[in-house]
Amino acid sequence: MIRKYALPIVVVLCVSLALGLIVALVQNSDLNARSATLNDQFTSLANDFDVLAAEATSSVAMLQKPDAPSLLQPADGATFSNVAEAKLVWQWGRPLESTEYFDVRVWTEGQPANGITWTKDSSFDMTNWLFNQTPTTFFWSVAVVKQLDANSEIEQITKVGETRSFTLSRVDLSIMTVPAGFKAALWAKLPFTLPTVITFGENGTLYALGSNGQIASATVSDGGTVADRITMLYDDPNDQLDGAVGLALRDGKFYVSDAGKISILTDSDGDGSLDTLTPIITGLPTRQYTFHSNNGLAFGPDGKLYFPVGATSDHGPLREKYEASILRANPDGSDLEIFATGFRNPYDLVFTPSGDLFAGDNSPDAINNSLAYLPPEELNFIQQGKDYGFPNTFGNMPYPNSEPPLVELPTSSASSGITYYDAAMFPLAYHGLYLAQFGTGAAYPVASGVKTGQAVVLITLSPDGQGGYHGSWQVFARMRTDLGDYHPIDVTVGPDGALYVAEYMTGTIFRISYEGEADASATSLSTAPNEQIAQGEQLFLHGTDQVPACVTCHVLDGSAATGPSLVNLSANLPPQAAGMTTEDYIRQSILQPNAVIVPGYQGNIMYQNYAERLSSAQIEALVAYVGSLSQR
């Protein structure tokens, strides 16, 4: 009986055991699943905790960071149309360390607060940046960031700071003042900054050369007065040009002057772009003294190519055959020869319609005991075979067998591009040579905080009856240096009769037109109510063959230059002149230049030998003329 039921019982027990094991396994699996779920939940909570902890740590760290810079200008909500007025200014509590920078952030509504520049300065000129923007409202802020080196992480070390806004209503640039009746207007924004030459082709197109070798064209639609078609013709893809400062056009070819060579650029495949550069003159003296090299280009009435070459030193000695000269050659570069000598660094040159040649010349930078006085800049009437004094003399100081300048100009004004105006638009009183003066080159004026140049001057010419000229000059257009650091680099006359001026820092071109009365005359530099004052004016403006012109250091528009302004002198006598009459102070300053040094100026800069080289009558004429300036 037992045996009969033993097998079924065993089977049942086995089945029961198996079912028990299955149930246990299922239960264990469920526990594992629950355990895994719990583990996931704990992991998620831990991650959330880590995030919250990190955020809390970041918030605490941010609270511990110093405040962001305080925004000063412009006022919140300001509106601009003249981009030159848009200057961002801020301040921070301590000087930046070497690895710290101000991160200037500018953005528009709905856009991220991206940085547009890092700077060590506590201000940023928005002029060039805004040129590329569409008029709208902008927001801005400034943070301080730190980066140890180019491969390190960038760390913001200040809190998130204040945000301000400003609105650009339109894109315009107004940085130049001109005489009554004239209008200076922005004509073109080039696709590069640092232009060096502008010139018009026979087709009425303006061509601009950049110092890095770029060439662009600019044209105006029919009836327009603003360039609306600007095209890059050459971008110097192989860096073949270095410090390009001369451009001339002839027979469809572009002649370019850069460091040590003259080249021809052509469009070999007729696609409208320049692509082939062929040097025709090489090995010219270049950069043995800072910035001195071969410079501007001009074709003469004889069909030859003329160009100046700067000296290899500041004020001597001469070391190389072709330095300190005006050279000329055939258009293919052959037959290179010296046309005239005795120049320090003539930047540009121009022929008048009658074939006469004129060029400016820059004054020395390195003032030292080897110079008797602070020399002037010059405007010279260039004649073949003549010597113009460098390095033996400057200005009107005589030297055997050398030619004096036509005009002496304020020292360190960095005379650059030049053109001759005889078009119909300007009144006759404004015909003559226009000379761009880049401005303030020498260390002494910079260290003294005075500026010369940064203007376009007009030199009017009158025949002297002996084949030469008399010249007088005055400031025609002045850059608004209160708005920024602006430098006119070149001038040219357009086919419309307007004067065009290139500004170096912004890569802009301005058109100066005349819109006044047809019979207007140039504003006189001074009045001459009697013969003595008239004689003094001539001495002040032109000097003699024995002494330099006073205007070399003292300009006549009321601004400070290398020497103090003499305009309204009676109301502005220096403290050391207390008790002296204006007349006595002027006379003493001529006879004993170092007796009274005006605060902020340096002694021994003024020419010291007026008392020995001028007659008593000439000295009294100068006193009378300078005294008359007090009436201005």
Side-chain angles (χ1 to χ4, degrees):
M1 188 71 174
I2 294 175
R3 290 179 178 175
K4 180 179 179 180
Y5 293 102
L7 183 59
I9 291 172
V10 171
V11 170
V12 170
L13 289 173
C14 289
V15 170
S16 297
L17 181 61
L19 289 172
L21 288 171
I22 291 170
V23 170
L25 288 171
V26 169
Q27 289 176 341
N28 187 57
S29 175
D30 184 53
L31 288 173
N32 287 338
R34 291 181 181 180
S35 177
T37 300
L38 288 172
N39 285 336
D40 290 344
Q41 291 174 345
F42 278 121
T43 300
S44 178
L45 287 172
N47 290 337
D48 290 344
F49 179 80
D50 289 343
V51 170
L52 290 172
E55 290 178 351
T57 301
S58 176
S59 297
V60 171
M62 182 62 74
L63 290 172
Q64 294 174 342
K65 289 181 177 181
D67 290 336
S70 301
L71 308 186
L72 302 181
Q73 295 177 6
D76 194 23
T79 298
F80 301 102
S81 59
N82 181 10
V83 295
E85 296 177 351
K87 307 287 192 297
L88 306 184
V89 183
W90 58 89
Q91 66 179 10
W92 197 42
R94 64 169 176 80
L96 293 174
E97 296 180 0
S98 61
T99 57
E100 295 174 347
Y101 304 88
F102 292 118
D103 182 10
V104 182
R105 302 168 181 180
V106 182
W107 67 98
T108 57
E109 186 72 40
Q111 299 299 313
N114 290 330
I116 63 170
T117 190
W118 285 7
T119 179
K120 291 284 190 178
D121 299 325
S122 57
S123 64
F124 182 66
D125 188 331
M126 295 289 288
T127 302
N128 283 332
W129 190 85
L130 287 174
F131 261 127
N132 300 313
Q133 309 302 315
T134 301
T136 187
T137 295
F138 296 89
F139 302 90
W140 70 286
S141 66
V142 180
V144 179
V145 296
K146 184 174 185 177
Q147 186 178 33
L148 297 178
D149 55 56
N151 298 317
S152 301
E153 293 289 329
I154 300 170
E155 176 190 2
Q156 180 176 324
I157 65 171
T158 58
K159 299 174 184 177
V160 175
E162 172 191 5
T163 295
R164 286 190 181 183
S165 70
F166 66 88
T167 298
L168 181 66
S169 59
R170 60 189 175 92
V171 179
D172 191 16
L173 184 65
S174 180
I175 57 173
M176 188 182 300
T177 60
V178 291
F182 289 87
K183 177 183 177 181
L186 178 64
W187 186 76
K189 175 69 173 71
L190 296 170
F192 49 82
T193 57
L194 315 185
T196 53
V197 183
I198 53 174
T199 187
F200 280 91
E202 294 180 357
N203 57 0
T205 298
L206 181 141
Y207 298 96
L209 173 69
S211 63
N212 293 320
Q214 316 98 314
I215 297 178
S217 65
T219 56
V220 179
S221 298
D222 291 343
T225 57
V226 176
D228 53 6
R229 295 190 299 272
I230 299 175
T231 305
M232 280 291 292
L233 301 180
Y234 186 70
D235 201 23
D236 195 18
N238 299 316
D239 293 328
Q240 299 177 83
L241 297 174
D242 178 18
V245 293
L247 178 67
L249 311 177
R250 177 59 62 95
D251 299 330
K253 300 175 182 177
F254 289 69
Y255 288 76
V256 180
S257 172
D258 80 309
K261 68 181 186 295
I262 310 295
S263 305
I264 295 176
L265 258 174
T266 55
D267 175 11
S268 64
D269 55 12
D271 66 352
S273 296
L274 301 169
D275 51 39
T276 302
L277 184 75
T278 306
I280 59 171
I281 300 173
T282 59
L284 297 168
T286 182
R287 296 179 180 170
Q288 295 182 42
Y289 187 77
T290 306
F291 299 129
H292 287 202
S293 186
N294 43 293
N295 293 314
L297 299 173
F299 279 97
D302 55 2
K304 291 181 178 289
L305 181 65
Y306 289 73
F307 57 93
V309 178
T312 60
S313 64
D314 182 70
H315 51 274
L318 300 178
R319 292 185 285 259
E320 296 206 15
K321 176 181 178 181
Y322 290 128
E323 69 168 304
S325 300
I326 304 290
L327 307 181
R328 71 174 177 182
N330 293 326
D332 63 0
S334 62
D335 294 335
L336 180 65
E337 63 178 336
I338 296 172
F339 183 77
T341 58
F343 308 96
R344 180 180 174 275
N345 189 43
Y347 183 89
D348 198 12
L349 69 177
V350 66
F351 284 95
T352 66
S354 62
D356 289 333
L357 179 62
F358 295 88
D361 197 9
N362 298 156
S363 59
D365 295 328
I367 308 304
N368 58 32
N369 291 334
S370 66
L371 293 174
Y373 66 102
L374 191 64
E377 300 224 340
E378 300 178 357
L379 188 283
N380 289 295
F381 170 40
I382 313 296
Q383 296 176 285
Q384 185 174 5
K386 293 194 174 182
D387 181 90
Y388 291 80
F390 180 90
N392 302 302
T393 186
F394 301 92
N396 282 317
M397 297 297 290
Y399 191 81
N401 302 315
S402 68
E403 297 295 315
L406 178 66
V407 169
E408 291 184 330
L409 297 162
T411 187
S412 196
S413 47
S415 298
S416 49
I418 188 171
T419 193
Y420 182 77
Y421 189 95
D422 65 346
M425 179 186 289
F426 288 12
L428 288 175
Y430 288 92
H431 286 207
L433 297 165
Y434 283 86
L435 179 66
Q437 295 192 310
F438 188 89
T440 311
Y444 165 71
V446 172
S448 302
V450 298
K451 294 183 177 181
T452 54
Q454 293 183 263
V456 176
V457 299
L458 164 64
I459 300 102
T460 53
L461 305 173
S462 58
D464 64 2
Q466 301 176 6
Y469 294 91
H470 296 299
S472 62
W473 72 276
Q474 62 180 298
V475 173
F476 173 73
R478 187 176 292 282
M479 306 309 293
R480 290 279 309 275
T481 54
D482 59 313
L483 294 179
D485 190 25
Y486 302 115
H487 298 270
I489 187 71
D490 198 18
V491 287
T492 193
V493 181
D496 59 350
L499 187 71
Y500 290 77
V501 181
E503 198 286 314
Y504 187 72
M505 304 303 292
T506 57
T508 50
I509 300 172
F510 291 84
R511 178 180 182 267
I512 301 179
S513 57
Y514 182 71
E515 302 179 356
E517 299 293 331
D519 60 351
S521 60
T523 303
S524 175
L525 287 173
S526 66
T527 57
N530 59 50
E531 185 176 334
Q532 187 182 45
I533 289 179
Q535 181 188 12
E537 180 185 24
Q538 287 299 308
L539 290 167
F540 190 95
L541 296 178
H542 305 292
T544 71
D545 61 356
Q546 298 290 309
V547 300
C550 306
V551 78
T552 298
C553 296
H554 303 279
V555 297
L556 291 175
D557 60 359
S559 62
T562 308
S565 173
L566 302 179
V567 176
N568 198 22
L569 184 61
S570 59
N572 296 287
L573 291 177
Q576 303 97 311
M580 300 176 67
T581 66
T582 302
E583 181 180 290
D584 287 342
Y585 170 67
I586 296 169
R587 187 177 293 104
Q588 183 190 62
S589 297
I590 296 171
L591 298 175
Q592 299 173 283
N594 289 334
V596 174
I597 304 300
V598 176
Y601 294 88
Q602 181 176 322
N604 296 315
I605 293 299
M606 180 175 168
Y607 180 68
Q608 302 290 303
N609 298 319
Y610 284 105
E612 300 172 11
R613 302 291 177 85
L614 294 179
S615 67
S616 297
Q618 289 174 316
I619 291 172
E620 292 308 308
L622 263 179
V623 171
Y625 174 68
V626 175
S628 76
L629 300 178
S630 294
Q631 308 303 316
R632 298 187 180 188

